Amino acid sequence: MLEDRLLIIKKESCFFYEGDELKGIFFIYKGKVKVHKKWGEDKELIVRFAGEGDIVGHRGLGKQNIYPVSATTLEATSACFIDLNLFETSLKVNYDLMHKLLMFYAEELQDSEKNMRNLAHMPVKGRVAYSLLNLKAKFGVTKEGYINISLSRQDLASFAGTTYETTFRVLSELSNEGLISFEGKEIVILNDKNLAKVFD
Amino acid sequence: MLEDRLLIIKKESCFFYEGDELKGIFFIYKGKVKVHKKWGEDKELIVRFAGEGDIVGHRGLGKQNIYPVSATTLEATSACFIDLNLFETSLKVNYDLMHKLLMFYAEELQDSEKNMRNLAHMPVKGRVAYSLLNLKAKFGVTKEGYINISLSRQDLASFAGTTYETTFRVLSELSNEGLISFEGKEIVILNDKNLAKVFD
DNA sequence: CGCAATGTTGAACAAGGTCAACTGTGGTGG
DNA sequence: CCACCACAGTTGACCTTGTTCAACATTGCG
């Protein structure tokens, strides 16, 4: 029963698009996903990342049943698709689930608004630093100390709300200052405290 | 019983501050309120406006019981304060309330993320235009056609995520283009459709 | 070996923020 | 009644930030 809703999604594939009709939500068993929003043809903003145990697609709930964002896997991902009806029914039946979801939304909203303020007022360097610390907090580090998510520069840029090139320069800067170090996509934060001082 | 929780708040006063301990939420009977977040000493971003029938302070729900935003009246306002315990209890008892709240959060989250993307990628002129249309949609217009909220330039700037002076220039520009007209704080949108074309 | 994709850097440019001056307007006291 | 001041409204000039574009380097892979 459950099995026929279990999806295996390969790396770098978009499993729902901004504007699509809302069919249901996804529960991530394994893998990592970016949730993003387009602007024009070639610009996007990554709104959030989701990993193991997170849900994706819930943002579509509300008046118009349309996904307001797209979701794309960053690595091979397995997820459970939960039909909208089933989900709504579960909510009706399970008070606790609904309450958890409510709290989850509340947290997300706080996050989102902090990000808004950052985009409006924080300079790029701060935003990149903030993004890195965010990623570390969410995904942790590997045993070698690298942030446990392998992200293209472009994705990092889209997350920080800036361009590829600028992200690049900022990253070298931070590296020169001894706050981080990296080889390709693998990034280590050497000094959390001082990295946090870049903003704030 | 209800009366002792009814508050009359005079114009331009902040009734809770970002960082305050969360005591409860406010239900606005009458008046208008801005919900804002500080950056540094002198910069702020207005995250949302609330009017009659809206609730304020719910953003504090979540892990740490702290208001993540401040709330300040724009006009004389009457509001009902609902103690956090009472509110939580009501949620437990009233399935429908909880569901409505959930949907409300979902909408807010969508809004917030649209705003994030706009801040990241939309130029200032577009953001101001977007803000004006937003305000019109939320508060409607007076019989003379003015947007039914009287906002200082500074507040409009903080809502659009820009500076006082820039807002000013953009407003004159829009006025020259025949899209809006204004006398002091009172603004009319002359051409919704073309104003929307400024962004998008 | 060569080509494509991605990484790296420099330079020019544009948007918007900052600062400061100027204008008008409405008190306030002589 | 007018001179003066305080203060928001208004505008100009400049400067910083970050984007854009384009060149060049490096890597990986057929």
Side-chain angles (χ1 to χ4, degrees):
Chain A
M1 292 292 129
L2 261 176
E3 282 70 16
D4 52 357
R5 297 198 296 272
L6 183 65
L7 309 171
I8 309 288
I9 312 165
K10 68 170 194 293
K11 192 175 168 168
E12 287 296 335
S13 56
C14 184
F15 54 98
F16 62 79
Y17 289 90
E18 197 176 340
D20 281 0
E21 186 203 346
L22 182 71
K23 296 268 173 50
I25 66 160
F26 297 82
F27 178 86
I28 309 290
Y29 281 133
K30 197 145 186 16
K32 298 187 179 71
V33 170
K34 65 175 175 179
V35 177
H36 48 109
K37 228 171 150 57
K38 281 205 312 178
W39 176 251
E41 271 318 302
D42 45 0
K43 287 181 185 176
E44 68 168 11
L45 181 73
I46 294 178
V47 150
R48 161 181 180 250
F49 290 98
E52 239 167 85
D54 290 328
I55 62 172
V56 176
H58 58 286
R59 277 167 166 70
L61 292 173
K63 279 175 196 134
Q64 353 152 353
N65 277 348
I66 288 197
Y67 292 110
V69 290
S70 308
T72 304
T73 54
L74 296 169
E75 13 181 290
T77 296
S78 60
C80 178
F81 175 75
I82 299 161
D83 177 82
L84 191 58
N85 286 330
L86 175 58
F87 186 61
E88 291 272 14
T89 314
S90 310
L91 284 180
K92 281 209 178 72
V93 169
N94 187 337
Y95 169 85
D96 204 48
L97 174 66
M98 182 132 134
H99 193 258
K100 281 220 180 64
L101 190 63
L102 193 65
M103 291 301 117
F104 173 63
Y105 270 88
E107 294 281 338
E108 293 242 297
L109 196 53
Q110 289 191 27
D111 254 35
S112 172
E113 285 173 352
K114 205 185 286 176
N115 282 331
M116 260 178 77
R117 187 206 51 191
N118 292 351
L119 283 167
H121 295 308
M122 192 187 275
V124 169
K125 189 172 174 184
R127 296 209 302 271
V128 172
Y130 185 83
S131 300
L132 290 175
L133 287 169
N134 245 350
L135 287 169
K136 179 173 176 178
K138 173 146 194 69
F139 293 107
V141 294
T142 64
K143 54 183 174 304
E144 297 86 10
Y146 293 116
I147 296 176
N148 193 16
I149 182 175
S150 173
L151 217 50
S152 74
R153 292 291 135 85
Q154 182 55 65
D155 280 344
L156 186 54
S158 299
F159 189 43
T162 180
T163 56
Y164 182 90
E165 292 95 324
T166 299
T167 305
F168 196 87
R169 291 178 230 263
V170 169
L171 244 33
S172 333
E173 230 180 294
L174 292 173
S175 169
N176 287 336
E177 292 166 12
L179 299 175
I180 65 170
S181 90
F182 55 91
E183 315 172 23
K185 295 181 174 184
E186 312 308 315
I187 301 181
V188 198
I189 296 181
L190 298 172
N191 188 330
D192 293 63
K193 190 148 295 178
N194 287 343
L195 187 56
K197 277 192 194 139
V198 170
F199 52 97
D200 179 86
Chain B
M1 293 297 127
L2 259 176
E3 281 72 15
D4 51 357
R5 297 199 295 273
L6 184 65
L7 308 171
I8 309 290
I9 312 166
K10 68 170 195 295
K11 193 176 167 167
E12 286 296 333
S13 55
C14 184
F15 55 100
F16 62 80
Y17 289 91
E18 196 176 339
D20 282 0
E21 186 203 347
L22 183 72
K23 296 269 174 49
I25 67 160
F26 297 81
F27 178 86
I28 310 290
Y29 281 133
K30 199 150 184 9
K32 295 186 182 73
V33 170
K34 63 175 173 179
V35 177
H36 48 109
K37 226 170 152 57
K38 281 204 312 179
W39 176 250
E41 270 320 299
D42 45 1
K43 288 182 184 175
E44 68 168 13
L45 181 74
I46 295 178
V47 150
R48 163 181 178 249
F49 290 98
E52 239 166 86
D54 290 328
I55 62 171
V56 177
H58 59 286
R59 275 166 167 69
L61 292 173
K63 279 177 196 134
Q64 354 151 354
N65 276 347
I66 289 197
Y67 292 110
V69 290
S70 309
T72 304
T73 54
L74 295 169
E75 15 179 287
T77 295
S78 60
C80 178
F81 175 76
I82 299 162
D83 178 81
L84 191 58
N85 285 330
L86 175 57
F87 186 61
E88 291 272 14
T89 315
S90 309
L91 285 181
K92 281 208 179 73
V93 169
N94 188 337
Y95 169 83
D96 205 48
L97 175 64
M98 182 131 133
H99 192 258
K100 282 221 179 65
L101 191 62
L102 192 65
M103 289 302 116
F104 173 62
Y105 270 87
E107 294 281 337
E108 293 242 298
L109 196 53
Q110 289 191 27
D111 254 35
S112 173
E113 286 174 349
K114 206 184 287 176
N115 281 331
M116 260 177 77
R117 187 206 49 191
N118 292 351
L119 283 167
H121 295 308
M122 192 188 274
V124 169
K125 190 172 174 185
R127 296 209 303 271
V128 172
Y130 185 83
S131 301
L132 290 174
L133 287 170
N134 245 349
L135 288 169
K136 179 172 178 179
K138 172 146 196 70
F139 293 106
V141 295
T142 64
K143 54 182 173 305
E144 298 86 10
Y146 292 115
I147 294 177
N148 193 17
I149 182 176
S150 174
L151 218 48
S152 76
R153 293 288 136 88
Q154 181 56 65
D155 280 343
L156 186 54
S158 299
F159 189 43
T162 181
T163 56
Y164 183 90
E165 292 94 325
T166 300
T167 305
F168 198 88
R169 290 178 232 263
V170 169
L171 246 33
S172 333
E173 229 180 295
L174 293 174
S175 169
N176 287 336
E177 292 165 13
L179 299 175
I180 65 169
S181 90
F182 55 89
E183 314 172 25
K185 296 181 174 185
E186 312 306 316
I187 301 180
V188 199
I189 296 180
L190 299 172
N191 189 330
D192 292 62
K193 189 147 299 180
N194 286 343
L195 187 57
K197 278 193 196 138
V198 171
F199 51 98
D200 179 89

